[in-house]
Amino acid sequence: MVTIQEVAKEAQVSVGSVSRYLNGHKLKEQNMQKIKQAIETLDYKENLFAKGLKSNQTLSIGILMNNMQSVFSSTLIAQIEEEMESHNYSILLNSYRNKIDKVAAKIDFLLDRKVDGLIIFEGEPEWPVYERLQTIEIPVISVNTTLDYPHVDSIIVNNRQSAKNMISKIIDSGHDHMGVISVPQKSSVARDRLNGTFDAFSEKGLDDSDYQIFYGDYSQKSGYQGAKTLIDQGLTTIFVTNYNMALGSLQYMFEKGLKLGEDISFACFDYPGVSDIFYPRLTTVRQPVHKMGTVTVNRMFERIKNPTIKNEIIQLENEIHWGNSIKEWK
Amino acid sequence: MVTIQEVAKEAQVSVGSVSRYLNGHKLKEQNMQKIKQAIETLDYKENLFAKGLKSNQTLSIGILMNNMQSVFSSTLIAQIEEEMESHNYSILLNSYRNKIDKVAAKIDFLLDRKVDGLIIFEGEPEWPVYERLQTIEIPVISVNTTLDYPHVDSIIVNNRQSAKNMISKIIDSGHDHMGVISVPQKSSVARDRLNGTFDAFSEKGLDDSDYQIFYGDYSQKSGYQGAKTLIDQGLTTIFVTNYNMALGSLQYMFEKGLKLGEDISFACFDYPGVSDIFYPRLTTVRQPVHKMGTVTVNRMFERIKNPTIKNEIIQLENEIHWGNSIKEWK
DNA sequence: TTGTATGCGTTATCAA
DNA sequence: TTGATAACGCATACAA
């Protein structure tokens, strides 16, 4: 392994000069040339251990999430990874697979590795690590969930408002009975989406007898089951608050030969590009996943550069794509 | 930051003893107790920088892949991450997004970070980094592709044989005309699957006039297009060599109201659990993704422990699930 | 079995 | 502007 000592000897300068050169300091032009030359001929590579030992920086950031197998998380990771790379940073992945009691250990794992920052997907205020998060001394960014601690930024989307807007518009199109496929109200995202739905219902004067809620478990299968249950009850307007379950619902409808926008009116949450393939005219609330990744990374580096800035809650807008999968009754 | 010096002082032993204790050496029971106690009261955490500076180990392994957004890669990553964690290792992710000319830089990136091992998904012998890979001094494991270099292990599945077996069985069921949806023959996996198909054709005496190949681009959309093209030509037996395109094909069939196993005979490659949801009786070649992850990690640690062991090509078996999506004509 | 001392590659402090 | 040298936290060779 080539060290700066060897580079220094080769260039006939001191290690200090080499170190300074490497860190962008100015020195005598002639020496800079000699060092540059020496680095090339020796193929010197910096040693991140030694660097980190002094600077306490790893040039890596940790990502903690529940599960990396959803479209949302894999798209987001991919986006973040791409952005990080251009900063010469790497990402350290960690998932807790529904084991909330393991979250603390996961965070320790990442912290032990001295990541320079931490990105948490859908962390919840109810987590037992609540206390911990406040005391972490590196930048922490919460994605998709608001964690309103002094040192934590949150990047979120306006789920509640989007759901409300979507449902309002559907009702305005003449739909006064509706089936909703949602998930147990254990996360803020889940609550926001369903509450937004309720907001619209009450604003438009629909009550309990006008809608039916089916609670699935995020799986395609439960979406399928939900569609079956609701449609069997005679409902013809279905809203699904989650992409994966929406897929299951669509599956059921296709199997039954039901035509969207005619036999059934259908809308759901999804992601950019996903539904475009088969359902270009599907009515969806589209989450700006790529933008979330980009904003997250940008914010992370702002924080790394300036750790004292005040925390922020950055809210991005979902797009509403109004296709032809909702029948116009009016 | 608590150091072993402070632990040593607290426990009234020397730093050497603490270091040895930390590394599992035996020492006087009494001292071990004192050190253990001191570590707890001071909440000592090891410093991976300092450790790495001496040992040149990062307790991390690098993963290089094309794209992390396929079911295959995200499942595999998840599995690897889970296994790694139990070894107290973390993973460093890197994707090159079809930019083959960037692969070398990506590998350098990982190597600069001193990963203790490298996992490469679907690396190809044609890559310009061919030379590099041989000279890497850490364990390298190639997943899903055979990279027969002296220091590289390969974990693969028997794609060619599986395709052949599947097609043979389909032909034996009475199907003598067939549509195949494949991808451009640019990767060994792609070639294996299609060649296995051809193997069966020639063994069973089918020739050019008996089958039709549609080349897609891995996208669901192209699978949809492929199914449309082939079925419009009157073919009723379809084999898809790729899961994503299979989804697209199924989509087309459902839209057309075609019944699997009756109107259309259908088989494809997929993954454990994926098709079970909607198509429990679908005939598939099922790739052992989880096992691949586990075997990869195990092999990695064998290599890390004993870097001199000879390289191996470990071939896992695809399972063939014979459902009822193939009509029995015999 | 334990303690001491040196070095890993880098940065930063202090003099020159 | 540069050079020499002391840290950073740990592992280990050597001595005791």
Side-chain angles (χ1 to χ4, degrees):
Chain A
M1 161 166 296
V2 181
T3 71
I4 58 172
Q5 334 275 348
E6 303 174 51
V7 173
K9 192 192 285 180
E10 171 82 16
Q12 294 171 303
V13 295
S14 73
V15 285
S17 294
V18 178
S19 174
R20 283 184 284 261
Y21 171 80
L22 255 14
N23 289 289
H25 295 224
K26 278 262 163 286
L27 31 96
K28 216 201 302 180
E29 183 59 35
Q30 193 185 2
N31 284 339
M32 291 179 65
Q33 283 305 326
K34 284 201 286 186
I35 294 171
K36 187 178 173 197
Q37 180 64 28
I39 286 176
E40 272 185 23
T41 62
L42 297 176
D43 191 30
Y44 163 81
K45 305 264 179 142
E46 63 184 354
N47 182 318
L48 292 172
F49 291 128
K51 211 165 184 167
L53 186 58
K54 290 295 285 188
S55 67
N56 259 308
Q57 289 220 340
T58 46
L59 304 183
S60 70
I61 64 106
I63 301 187
L64 178 65
M65 81 196 93
N66 185 11
N67 188 309
M68 58 219 305
Q69 297 200 49
S70 76
V71 175
F72 179 77
S73 51
S74 60
T75 310
L76 194 49
I77 295 172
Q79 182 67 24
I80 290 178
E81 191 249 343
E82 182 165 358
E83 302 269 347
M84 284 290 169
E85 196 202 313
S86 60
H87 289 266
N88 202 32
Y89 261 67
S90 58
I91 61 175
L92 244 117
L93 263 193
N94 238 251
S95 59
Y96 58 86
R97 287 175 277 284
N98 293 318
K99 297 176 197 139
I100 307 247
D101 55 321
K102 279 206 161 192
V103 170
K106 302 285 177 181
I107 291 178
D108 282 338
F109 182 87
L110 258 10
L111 258 28
D112 280 355
R113 271 157 186 72
K114 300 278 184 298
V115 290
D116 298 342
L118 192 56
I119 294 174
I120 301 182
F121 286 0
E122 303 191 347
E124 293 292 338
E126 290 83 21
W127 280 2
V129 284
Y130 180 92
E131 295 292 336
R132 280 297 311 285
L133 288 181
Q134 309 201 56
T135 64
I136 292 178
E137 62 294 326
I138 56 171
V140 178
I141 296 185
S142 167
V143 175
N144 220 16
T145 257
T146 304
L147 252 36
D148 199 6
Y149 310 140
H151 296 299
V152 177
D153 292 307
S154 300
I155 315 283
I156 56 171
V157 285
N158 61 341
N159 283 309
R160 185 163 184 162
Q161 189 62 44
S162 309
K164 183 185 171 192
N165 292 348
M166 176 60 92
I167 296 294
S168 297
K169 197 161 178 187
I170 293 174
I171 294 171
D172 289 345
S173 298
H175 300 259
D176 51 9
H177 278 72
M178 219 174 287
V180 176
I181 300 179
S182 183
V183 288
Q185 300 294 286
K186 287 179 185 162
S187 75
S188 3
V189 174
R191 283 190 293 270
D192 281 353
R193 293 184 187 174
L194 194 54
N195 285 334
T197 304
F198 289 148
D199 290 347
F201 285 159
S202 64
E203 192 175 294
K204 297 290 179 182
L206 272 63
D207 64 27
D208 292 23
S209 60
D210 297 320
Y211 56 84
Q212 181 81 24
I213 316 280
F214 177 94
Y215 292 96
D217 62 2
Y218 292 90
S219 71
Q220 288 190 28
K221 190 167 196 163
S222 72
Y224 181 97
Q225 200 58 46
K228 184 168 156 56
T229 305
L230 296 172
I231 291 171
D232 284 0
Q233 289 179 24
L235 287 161
T236 56
T237 308
I238 307 288
F239 180 60
V240 186
T241 64
N242 163 283
Y243 171 67
N244 214 31
M245 296 195 310
L247 281 187
S249 305
L250 286 168
Q251 190 59 46
Y252 177 74
M253 295 171 210
F254 278 116
E255 272 184 35
K256 284 285 166 191
L258 299 168
K259 293 264 181 257
L260 294 188
E262 296 178 27
D263 308 318
I264 294 284
S265 288
F266 184 86
C268 63
F269 273 79
D270 82 341
Y271 307 104
V274 172
S275 60
D276 295 342
I277 303 167
F278 300 120
Y279 321 107
R281 303 292 298 148
L282 199 64
T283 296
T284 60
V285 178
R286 193 160 289 194
Q287 300 163 87
V289 198
H290 294 98
K291 187 163 186 190
M292 291 177 80
T294 304
V295 170
T296 302
V297 173
N298 289 344
R299 181 66 184 171
M300 179 58 80
F301 286 109
E302 278 178 35
R303 279 233 156 217
I304 287 178
K305 270 184 215 143
N306 182 1
T308 62
I309 51 178
K310 201 186 164 312
N311 75 320
E312 263 186 49
I313 297 176
I314 300 172
Q315 176 162 293
L316 304 178
E317 300 291 318
N318 285 321
E319 286 177 15
I320 290 193
H321 279 228
W322 191 258
N324 62 3
S325 63
I326 299 286
K327 186 164 186 170
E328 303 282 335
W329 281 110
K330 58 183 169 220
Chain B
M1 162 164 297
V2 182
T3 71
I4 59 171
Q5 336 275 345
E6 302 174 53
V7 173
K9 192 192 284 180
E10 172 81 18
Q12 292 171 305
V13 296
S14 73
V15 284
S17 293
V18 177
S19 173
R20 282 184 283 263
Y21 170 81
L22 255 15
N23 288 290
H25 295 220
K26 278 263 162 288
L27 31 97
K28 218 201 298 182
E29 182 59 35
Q30 192 185 2
N31 285 339
M32 290 179 65
Q33 284 304 327
K34 285 200 287 187
I35 294 171
K36 188 179 172 193
Q37 180 64 27
I39 285 176
E40 272 185 24
T41 61
L42 296 176
D43 190 30
Y44 164 81
K45 305 264 179 143
E46 62 183 357
N47 181 317
L48 261 27
F49 293 128
K51 212 166 184 167
L53 189 56
K54 289 294 286 186
S55 66
N56 258 306
Q57 290 219 340
T58 45
L59 303 183
S60 71
I61 64 105
I63 300 187
L64 177 66
M65 83 195 91
N66 185 11
N67 188 308
M68 57 219 308
Q69 297 202 48
S70 75
V71 175
F72 179 77
S73 52
S74 61
T75 310
L76 193 50
I77 295 171
Q79 182 67 23
I80 289 178
E81 191 249 343
E82 181 165 0
E83 301 270 347
M84 283 290 169
E85 195 201 316
S86 61
H87 289 266
N88 201 32
Y89 261 66
S90 57
I91 60 175
L92 242 116
L93 263 194
N94 237 253
S95 58
Y96 59 86
R97 288 175 277 284
N98 293 319
K99 297 174 197 140
I100 307 251
D101 55 321
K102 278 206 163 192
V103 170
K106 302 286 178 181
I107 291 178
D108 282 338
F109 182 86
L110 259 10
L111 257 27
D112 281 353
R113 272 153 185 75
K114 298 281 184 296
V115 291
D116 296 343
L118 192 56
I119 294 175
I120 301 181
F121 287 0
E122 304 190 345
E124 292 291 340
E126 290 83 22
W127 279 3
V129 284
Y130 180 92
E131 295 292 335
R132 281 296 311 285
L133 289 181
Q134 309 200 57
T135 64
I136 293 177
E137 61 296 323
I138 56 172
V140 177
I141 297 185
S142 167
V143 175
N144 221 16
T145 257
T146 304
L147 252 35
D148 199 7
Y149 309 141
H151 297 298
V152 177
D153 292 307
S154 299
I155 314 283
I156 54 171
V157 286
N158 61 341
N159 282 310
R160 184 162 185 164
Q161 188 63 43
S162 309
K164 182 185 171 191
N165 292 348
M166 175 60 92
I167 296 295
S168 296
K169 199 163 176 186
I170 293 174
I171 294 172
D172 288 346
S173 297
H175 300 258
D176 52 9
H177 278 71
M178 218 173 288
V180 177
I181 299 177
S182 183
V183 288
Q185 301 293 286
K186 287 180 185 161
S187 75
S188 4
V189 173
R191 281 189 294 268
D192 281 354
R193 293 184 186 173
L194 194 54
N195 284 335
T197 305
F198 288 148
D199 290 347
F201 285 160
S202 64
E203 192 176 294
K204 296 291 180 183
L206 270 64
D207 65 30
D208 292 24
S209 60
D210 297 320
Y211 57 82
Q212 182 81 23
I213 316 281
F214 178 94
Y215 293 96
D217 63 1
Y218 292 92
S219 71
Q220 288 190 28
K221 190 166 196 166
S222 71
Y224 182 97
Q225 200 55 47
K228 184 167 157 53
T229 305
L230 297 172
I231 291 170
D232 283 0
Q233 291 179 22
L235 287 161
T236 56
T237 308
I238 307 287
F239 180 60
V240 186
T241 63
N242 164 281
Y243 172 67
N244 215 31
M245 295 194 310
L247 282 186
S249 304
L250 287 167
Q251 190 59 45
Y252 177 74
M253 296 172 210
F254 279 115
E255 274 186 34
K256 283 286 162 188
L258 299 168
K259 293 264 181 257
L260 294 188
E262 296 178 26
D263 308 317
I264 294 283
S265 288
F266 184 85
C268 63
F269 273 78
D270 82 342
Y271 307 104
V274 172
S275 59
D276 295 343
I277 304 168
F278 300 120
Y279 321 106
R281 304 292 298 146
L282 199 64
T283 296
T284 59
V285 177
R286 194 159 288 193
Q287 301 163 86
V289 197
H290 294 98
K291 188 162 185 192
M292 289 177 81
T294 305
V295 169
T296 301
V297 173
N298 289 345
R299 181 65 186 175
M300 180 59 81
F301 286 109
E302 278 178 36
R303 279 234 156 217
I304 286 177
K305 270 184 215 143
N306 182 0
T308 61
I309 51 178
K310 199 187 165 311
N311 76 319
E312 262 185 49
I313 298 176
I314 300 174
Q315 175 160 295
L316 304 177
E317 300 290 316
N318 284 320
E319 287 177 15
I320 290 195
H321 280 228
W322 192 258
N324 62 4
S325 62
I326 299 287
K327 184 163 187 173
E328 304 280 335
W329 282 110
K330 59 180 168 221

